[in-house]
Amino acid sequence: MREELGFDELLDDGGLIARLLGRTAAGRKRELLYGPDLPVVLLVGGPGMGKGRLLRCVRDRFGPRVPVAYLDCALSDCREQAEQRPGSRSDVTEALRLIALQYGDWAGDGGKIAVPRLYAGLAAVAASDRLAHVAPLVDEVGRLESLLPPKSFWRGVLMGAANNYLGFLGGLVTTPLAGPFINALLDGLFARLSPEGRSALTEGYGDYPGAGGNPQAGLRSLGGDFQQGGEARRIAEGFLFRALRQDVDAAYSSVRGRLSRVGRPALLLDHADNSLGRRLLKPALEDRERGHHDRLVVFATARREDGGRFLHRAGGPAAETARWEPFTGALPDWSRPPGGVPDHAPLWRGVLLVRMPVLTRDQQKAELSRLRGGQEQPDTAVRLRIHSGVHRLSGGRPLFVTRLGEAAAALRFPAPEDCTDWTLLDARVPAGDDDEGRRVADRPVADVLIDELVACQRPEELPPEHRAHWLDLLTHLSVAHDVECAQTLMRAVQEGRDDQLSAYLIADLMEDSGWPRCPRHFIGDLGLRRLLTRRLHLLRPGGAAWHTDHALLQGHYRDLGNDHPDPLFRTAGAHRTHHLLASDGADLVTRYLAGTFLTRPLTDWCDELLSIADAALIGVADDRYAHALGEIHVHGDTRRRLIDRLLHAVWLTEDRTQPLDETVPGALRGPLRGLSEELARIADEAVRDQGPEGADVARAAEGAALLVRKAREWGDRAEDKQPLQRCGCTEHIGFG
């Protein structure tokens, strides 16, 4: 995958990133955007949208021009390092150390960025473990010296005090002495500090709660709060991050920095909506709300469209968060909303949400052509079907487009009518090397995408006991609609387990993972639903798991009774019949629709028909076109044959596993007009029997007129390549 795919506007010389950093990727100066109060730029979008890829582009392209530090908050490195010394480290202190090391390695204009304030704070934390002997604490302080340049005054100060104290104790240390050690460490530090050094520490730690302007007391309190844990530790960690930002600011505001440094430094936090990322972002946002401004440009990623629940107090107005989408033709005009009350203002006030761009149709076609390279191009009809299939399945998600393009480039092209979504998902991604250089055999692209989008991106709050079967649960839920339908499946699938996940919690976890919701489908993303549908059908031989799940739901809605109200399908009978169509074919469904044609209000009957026909066809021969065109004989009267044709035409239109043939709009209009004529004849017969004012006459005449209108509306929507029923997860995609 090209790293910059879809990011042209964001990365170009006049784009948001160059204006925030004040430098282009080529090193030219740009007028700074915003300041001195800067927003945290939160890149939002679900799995496969390229958030982490964009951060890597910023690091690689702008990193040689301005100081850039990158941290993936989802990796376990910081947590594992912290667990080695839980009394003197946390995942936040380890993250800050890694960030500081990257600034210390900066070799561009102005040179390395020293972090004496952070160094002193981390040393106080390292020396505060009351359960450790002094020698290990001295080693822990010594570990921090790598944060400072070799000839820095600060580099030897704390270690000198620590070694003197260790020598004084000699062989007398037989019990924990952390309290005296931190006192001696700080006494030795402040005895040797220059006025400039004392001023630097006073700026940061003199403001620590209870310090009263005394930085030594502030550092001692910081170490004690870190040991206390809970909210006290959170405050200590927040001050350490403030100290790092003050160090970075000092590197720019010094006389040497003003002469040699250009632009702004950047901090890139991938997966910042995870626990570690939230613990870094929250104190920074709170500081800026209180007026502690700094010049660090923070780019962070989050999967939810609102940036994550931690930004919004319970019931808070998430819609008020500043939002911007690339390709709108102008840069965002951000400023902090007026009227905030420090310590009570919601965090979203300091955030600019940048929605990750989906690939346009032209960008998708260009990427597919690039992936094919010099290989023989397919004929036009096949190429158009591949393009439309990729568009339908991907919805413009860059990872989806690239993986499908890689698989399609290796396809031996079938006839156009065989190039369905299932054909694309079965195509194999060629063998290659993974990120760690290991050889990976070719696999169906659907399996590759499932791994990348679901298996490798489990929700952070998913209970550990459910991690092993998370993918299986989602696979079964690919046939569910509302939460009641999903919960029925979950009870059956998890039967016998002591710990069960409810569909209500799963829906919440899916939203936190960045997957969209759809009122009509539990799995609200069409591409993901197709991946899981295919997996469900292959889960057991002969599609047994697929048929079992549909049979289970048929039984549930049969027990409720055909006329029981249903929020999506109008009646439980229609909901049952939908699962019957998906699993057992159309014959019994045609019988059901023929039986309710004259007993239901026709508006309701048409709505039920659309809901019933929104079913996947997988694992069997597709004869829907032949049925829709009346080429297959169906037993029964004219009405039943017309309903069979209409059902199959609607099924083709709503299934969306293949582009629509140009015959489909006519196949929709014909049966609807035929049924309208049926009703007109019924109205005529009622006139003869009841007279022109009879109730049956009015009902049949209104129905005949309604079906004529539906023939026009549905046919027109099919010609415009739009679904017949509005649906949040498919309407914007069309058929291609």
Side-chain angles (χ1 to χ4, degrees), residues 92-319:
V92 171
T93 63
E94 288 303 294
L96 294 175
R97 187 180 67 85
L98 292 177
I99 293 167
L101 286 172
Q102 293 178 68
Y103 290 137
D105 289 338
W106 167 247
D109 296 342
K112 302 176 184 296
I113 294 179
V115 290
R117 296 165 182 80
L118 177 65
Y119 174 47
L122 290 177
V125 167
S128 65
D129 186 355
R130 296 182 178 85
L131 300 179
H133 288 276
V134 174
L137 298 185
V138 172
D139 292 341
E140 188 70 6
V141 173
R143 173 176 175 261
L144 300 173
E145 286 220 326
S146 60
L147 294 178
L148 298 173
K151 296 182 180 180
S152 167
F153 160 78
W154 295 84
R155 188 175 177 91
V157 170
L158 290 179
M159 276 307 296
N163 287 329
N164 288 341
Y165 186 68
L166 186 61
F168 171 76
L169 292 172
L172 301 178
V173 179
T174 58
T175 58
L177 290 170
F181 175 62
I182 190 172
N183 291 338
L185 192 71
L186 295 178
D187 289 344
L189 167 65
F190 280 89
R192 302 175 63 186
L193 273 181
S194 66
E196 292 80 6
R198 179 177 290 273
S199 175
L201 293 187
T202 300
E203 180 187 3
Y205 300 105
D207 283 344
Y208 198 84
N214 184 332
Q216 190 169 354
L219 284 165
R220 189 178 292 109
S221 296
L222 182 144
D225 285 350
F226 185 88
Q227 291 301 315
Q228 184 176 333
E231 181 64 14
R233 174 173 286 195
R234 188 194 72 80
I235 293 172
E237 292 171 338
F239 260 77
L240 290 172
F241 191 18
R242 181 194 292 186
L244 172 61
R245 299 197 307 276
Q246 289 173 336
D247 283 330
V248 173
D249 260 4
Y252 275 78
S253 59
S254 67
V255 174
R256 182 171 179 266
R258 288 196 299 269
L259 293 174
S260 59
R261 298 188 188 275
V262 179
R264 292 182 180 129
L267 174 60
L268 314 177
L269 299 176
D270 201 4
H271 299 102
D273 50 348
N274 280 7
S275 174
L276 174 57
R278 297 195 301 268
R279 288 164 63 195
L280 289 169
L281 287 182
K282 191 171 186 288
L285 289 165
E286 290 171 339
D287 272 354
R288 291 180 178 183
E289 184 69 42
R290 297 186 192 107
H292 295 283
H293 300 149
D294 58 83
R295 74 189 70 218
L296 188 64
V297 179
V298 180
F299 293 98
T301 70
R303 290 161 293 184
R304 285 173 57 116
E305 289 292 320
D306 62 3
R309 286 176 294 183
F310 79 104
L311 294 178
H312 312 281
R313 298 189 186 279

Side-chain angles (χ1 to χ4, degrees), residues 12-76:
D12 69 20
D13 288 355
L16 177 68
I17 294 167
R19 289 291 307 280
L20 280 168
L21 299 180
R23 300 290 292 270
T24 69
R28 291 187 293 274
K29 291 180 65 174
R30 280 291 177 268
E31 181 182 356
L32 289 171
L33 192 64
Y34 315 135
D37 186 10
L38 291 175
V40 166
V41 179
L42 211 52
L43 309 171
V44 297
M49 289 298 295
K51 303 179 298 297
R53 183 165 53 88
L54 177 57
L55 291 189
R56 292 192 296 271
C57 284
V58 175
R59 179 190 61 190
D60 297 342
R61 296 184 62 169
F62 292 86
R65 308 302 176 186
V66 295
V68 172
Y70 172 90
L71 181 71
D72 187 343
C73 301
L75 297 181
S76 60

